[in-house]
Each structure stands twice: as C-alpha cells, then as structure tokens.
Amino acid sequence: MKITAARVIVCSPGRNFVTLLIETDQGVTGIGDATLNGRELSVASYLTDHVIPNLIGRDPRQSEDIWQFLYRGAYWRRGPVTMSAISAVDTALWDIKAKLAGMPLYQLLGGKSRERVLVYGHANGNTLEETVDAVGQYIAMGYKAIRAQSGIPGIAKAYGVARGTLHYEPADAALPTETVWDTPKYLRFVPKLFEKLRETYGDEPELLHDVHHRLTPNEAAQLGKSLEPYRLFWMEDATPAENQQAFRLIRERTTTPLAVGEIFNTIWDCKELIENQLIDYIRTTVLRAGGITHLRRIADFAALYQVRTGSHGATDLSPVTMGAALHFDTWVPNFGIQEYMRHSEETDAVFPHDYRFEAGHLYCGESPGHGVTIDEELAAKYPYKPAQLPIARLEDGTMWNW
Ligand SMILES: O=C(O)C(=O)C[C@H](O)[C@H](O)CO
Ligand SMILES: [Mg+2]
C-alpha cells in the first residue's frame, strides 16, 4: 500500500484552518489538522514544500516509522511549526489506519475506557454580573464544567472575553491588537468572581479559570491560595512554563489544581512538570504535540504520576482535531476533561463530523476513522484571511505575555 498524493487545504470559514489530506492507492483517504493560529501559512509551507514530497510512495500503515522519519529526519527537532505538521500527518495516517480496519479510531487505541467525555465550555462577560449570568446559561445548556473569564474593572480588554456568548475568536486583526495588562487589578478581582459564582450556583458545577500566562510564580501562588475556598477544577497556565521548575513554587504554596500545556509540542516540554508532580492536568493536544502517536506517549508517562489529561480544544483547533481528540479521550485511561469551545456553523459545515454534545459530554462517533471529513468545494469559498493573536503590554508599555 502506498501514499499517492497529499495536499494542504487552507480555508477560513469564520477563522483560518490548515488541513492536510492524504490519498492512497487503495482509495482510502485521511485528514489531519495543521492549524497554527496566527502563523498558519508557515505550517502550510512546511507541509507542502518539505513534508509531502517525503510522503509519496511510503506505506501509510507505517505511521510510527513515518513519525520517526519526520521527527528525526528533519534534524531540526521540536517547535510548533514542525510538530503541528507532524501532528497533521500522524492524524491523517491514524484516520486511514482506522478506515482500513473498518473501526472507529478509539478501537485501535485499546477500545472504550468510558462511554462519554466530560467537557468544559467557555462562559465570559464584560463584568462580574455578565459573567455570572453567562455561567448560568452554560449550566442551562447542560454543561457540568465551565471556564469563567471576565472583564476586569480598569482593564480595557481582558483575555477570554468575547463579543457574543458562544464563540470566542482572539485572532481578530491582520496585525496584533494591543491590550494592556495590570496584575494587581486582576488579582483583586478574580477571587470576587469565583466567590459570587459559588454563592449563586452552589458546589456542584466544576469551575475552571485560565490565567493565560500572565502571572509570576509567586503571584500565581497568591491567586491559587485565594481561590482555594471556591474549589476550582483547575487554574490554567498560571505562569509561562519554559522553566518547568517555576511550577514548584506555585505547587508548594497552593492546593488549587494546576493545568498547563496547550502550547507544548513534545514530552520534553512537560517531563519535569509531570515527573515531579508539579501539575494535575496536562493540556497537550493531538494537533500541537505530535498527533496520536506522541500524545499517547505523554499520556502514558503522565499516568505514572497520576497526572490526568485535559486537552486544549479552542476554536483555532479545527473539528478534525476535536474528532481525533474525542477518540483519544474515549480511550485514554487517565482522562481528566476535554475543552470544548463550539465552532461556528460555517466551520461545522466545512468539516462534517459525527461527534455530538449531550448533557455536558461529547460522544465520539462510530464511523471508521476519526469521523471528520472536509467539504473541499465549500472550503474553497472561504479564502485565507491574515489574522494574528493580540499582544499584551503593561501600563508603562513593557511587553508582557498575552
Ligand atoms: O482555550 C484556551 O485555553 C486558550 O488559552 C485559547 C488560546 O488563547 C488560543 O487557542 C490561542 O490560539
Ligand atoms: Mg488556555
């Protein structure tokens, strides 16, 4: 069996997506997501110019060897561009493998460890009151776990606050929108939000919060401590994690559960975090961390240290990633939770899929493969639009972490 052709499809049904489609001599095709928000064309070029010529003629069933070939063979290892490209190839190859077997992908991983996948949705508002209302709307939609992000008094544009209630798209302009950040205002406000949420909705809903890399380790420890009475499911990306030991300081000072890893590319980005039990949830995804092949290695390693999975699932990850992630989540023994930010109707139409939401959970489908396809004709109606993520500066102009 041979790979006969592969192509990259770039489209923008509401936002940009990069999709890799692999064809074989047996007529079976597979697709993978290669979207890197704000830097999409770099992965498209990496695939078209450097990866696809190496795929033609290879046996698509040898997904492990192809993974190793792309990782070791490039000489230049790791990084978001390389690893998003490898992820797309790997996802497409697992899709093909499962279609050849005539089975849903989770069966090839080891079958079902659970019937359904707990997901968390995104509630947000410009004010504390609006955010409390938005959480109520998610509870009414059946969600059991909800991430709450709010506008902060005195900060013009806060991370995670959308214009509507259901969809959030931070990559909103061809050149980055500039936002201003103020840590003391944020640290004073956030505990009040979660106090109000517990007061309004009681103990049951799982509540999450994304700090989005804005704090130093000591500030993160302060926030974690002040949130302890409100029993968060997790506090995410409390501080940047290039220095994995930074999490030791947070860990030693608060029992609020910690999650990190949506920007990680390989096991090497989280090895110390996991083996030192500095986190509770690892947020690496199929798309960013080397596809099913590598994500499985991270999850198995994490299981040794009782760290559970909590994969990134923002809308800049296409339904292809969501489909593959749900098969992974249905299998992975140390599953924690899956992020689920709903795609727009336009996006869903371009990527027909068989997963479904019901009562706070997602169910992966039963069709062979990962269950997501692409309507290329429709995709062609939405050409690429340059869009970058915002940046953040402190009030004095210092560049900060968005
Ligand atoms: O979903 C999350 O937790 C995010 O932090 C979303 C990110 O800002 C987004 O994926 C960046 O492209
Ligand atoms: Mg995040």
Side-chain angles (χ1 to χ4, degrees):
M1 185 175 185
K2 284 187 171 31
I3 296 174
T4 48
R7 61 181 176 279
V8 173
I9 303 151
V10 180
C11 63
S12 193
R15 69 160 345 282
N16 293 319
F17 292 110
V18 179
T19 308
L20 173 71
L21 189 147
I22 297 182
E23 292 178 0
T24 66
D25 58 0
Q26 295 193 10
V28 181
T29 61
I31 61 170
D33 179 19
T35 311
L36 183 60
N37 205 3
R39 295 290 185 269
E40 294 87 356
L41 299 184
S42 58
V43 191
S45 155
Y46 192 94
L47 282 166
T48 304
D49 299 326
H50 306 294
V51 172
I52 289 175
N54 286 298
L55 294 179
I56 309 304
R58 282 179 197 278
D59 185 337
R61 296 169 298 185
Q62 290 177 9
S63 48
E64 182 66 57
D65 183 66
I66 291 177
W67 196 98
Q68 299 294 338
F69 173 87
L70 293 174
Y71 184 79
R72 294 167 194 258
Y75 185 65
W76 311 107
R77 297 184 183 204
R78 307 164 63 188
V81 175
T82 302
M83 296 309 294
S84 299
I86 293 179
S87 302
V89 173
D90 190 72
T91 306
L93 295 183
W94 276 96
D95 192 22
I96 290 171
K97 202 188 289 294
K99 285 176 181 168
L100 288 171
M103 290 180 187
L105 175 51
Y106 70 80
Q107 290 292 10
L108 272 59
L109 300 174
K112 280 188 183 180
S113 297
R114 59 197 55 78
E115 289 303 319
R116 56 190 193 167
V117 168
L118 177 68
V119 298
Y120 71 91
H122 283 210
N124 59 77
N126 287 306
T127 61
L128 186 147
E129 292 74 24
E130 268 183 38
T131 308
V132 172
D133 284 353
V135 168
Q137 287 169 30
Y138 273 81
I139 292 171
M141 286 189 278
Y143 283 83
K144 312 291 177 214
I146 301 139
R147 185 185 96 158
Q149 306 293 136
S150 178
I152 316 285
I155 299 183
K157 217 171 182 295
Y159 164 76
V161 180
R163 271 159 293 196
T165 42
L166 274 181
H167 307 291
Y168 174 61
E169 185 44 72
D172 57 3
L175 293 175
T177 299
E178 299 226 350
T179 63
V180 177
W181 180 248
D182 186 320
T183 297
K185 287 185 180 128
Y186 172 77
L187 288 179
R188 283 196 295 272
F189 176 80
V190 176
K192 291 182 197 150
L193 170 66
F194 283 90
E195 183 184 15
K196 188 73 188 165
L197 286 170
R198 282 289 174 227
E199 207 181 286
T200 313
Y201 301 114
D203 282 341
E204 210 166 303
E206 298 289 3
L207 298 175
L208 301 86
H209 182 67
D210 190 349
V211 179
H212 222 255
H213 323 275
R214 302 297 167 88
L215 302 178
T216 64
N218 185 43
E219 289 161 354
Q222 288 174 44
L223 180 63
K225 233 176 151 94
S226 64
L227 291 173
E228 281 172 19
Y230 315 117
R231 207 189 47 77
L232 262 60
F233 187 92
W234 77 34
M235 175 169 80
E236 176 187 339
D237 287 347
T239 199
E242 287 100 326
N243 172 12
Q244 297 179 41
Q245 289 304 320
F247 273 69
R248 190 179 290 284
L249 201 149
I250 310 172
R251 190 60 154 180
E252 282 169 355
R253 296 181 195 182
T254 178
T255 54
T256 293
L258 302 175
V260 69
E262 67 184 37
I263 70 169
F264 294 174
N265 310 131
T266 71
I267 200 163
W268 300 104
D269 296 327
C270 46
K271 183 173 172 288
E272 292 168 56
L273 285 166
I274 291 172
E275 70 192 359
N276 294 309
Q277 294 181 303
L278 303 181
I279 55 170
D280 300 277
Y281 296 94
I282 182 69
R283 281 185 42 73
T284 40
T285 59
V286 172
L287 163 56
R288 209 62 70 219
I292 298 280
T293 297
H294 194 69
L295 190 61
R296 188 162 66 163
R297 279 193 184 117
I298 296 176
D300 281 342
F301 179 62
L304 301 179
Y305 300 94
Q306 297 185 35
V307 173
R308 295 194 281 158
T309 65
S311 285
H312 188 206
T315 34
D316 48 289
L317 286 66
S318 91
V320 179
T321 290
M322 185 54 76
L326 291 172
H327 284 270
F328 185 83
D329 296 339
T330 297
W331 158 72
V332 70
N334 49 323
F335 172 73
I337 201 165
Q338 169 69 49
E339 181 178 15
Y340 176 45
M341 213 167 157
R342 284 162 190 256
H343 287 109
S344 66
E345 279 175 19
E346 293 143 294
T347 299
D348 282 341
V350 169
F351 297 97
H353 52 262
D354 65 357
Y355 57 79
R356 68 189 167 86
F357 175 84
E358 193 186 314
H361 296 80
L362 278 169
Y363 292 74
C364 69
E366 291 294 325
S367 51
H370 55 46
V372 188
T373 55
I374 182 163
D375 180 336
E376 285 191 75
E377 247 176 63
L378 190 57
K381 294 191 177 143
Y382 298 103
Y384 168 76
K385 284 192 201 128
Q388 292 191 48
L389 287 167
I391 58 135
R393 291 186 186 274
L394 302 183
E395 273 174 339
D396 68 1
T398 307
M399 189 69 191
W400 198 243
N401 314 312
W402 178 74

